[in-house]
Amino acid sequence: MLEIRNLISILQQQDNEERITNESRHLGRTWHVLLFQEKNKTVMQFRVFEPLDIHTVWCDIYPRTTTGFGFSNKDIRGWLHSRLTNSITLTQ
């Protein structure tokens, strides 16, 4: 539960300033963070874009909602990388 609370806290840190311009022209990774709640049989999905061709600490996050908005976040990158088992690909 502590791990989930930490992730939710990070995802709630929204920055609406455009941090990654011309995102569709950048190379990067797209992560899909899925949060399952077994009791209610619900899922929350966040799509995280991490640019690799520019030097930035920012990622863009897009919640799976009907609104279609996104926001910038600089803490999700560290959270993702600290929990991945394939760290060799992250240093390329």
Side-chain angles (χ1 to χ4, degrees), residues 6-63:
N6 184 27
L7 173 60
I8 295 298
S9 174
I10 289 170
L11 289 171
Q12 289 176 340
Q13 298 175 24
Q14 301 177 14
D15 186 321
N16 293 325
E17 185 174 331
E18 186 178 27
R19 301 290 183 171
I20 304 170
T21 58
N22 297 322
E23 182 177 301
S24 63
R25 296 177 186 251
H26 288 293
L27 298 176
R29 291 190 182 95
T30 299
W31 305 96
H32 292 272
V33 179
L34 301 171
L35 301 172
F36 297 95
Q37 187 175 47
E38 185 63 34
K39 182 179 177 182
N40 298 337
K41 305 291 185 202
T42 58
V43 177
M44 291 174 53
Q45 179 182 4
F46 297 87
R47 184 171 56 89
V48 179
F49 175 73
E50 176 189 14
L52 298 176
D53 61 340
I54 56 174
H55 183 68
T56 181
V57 298
W58 295 95
C59 289
D60 280 346
I61 297 179
Y62 300 93

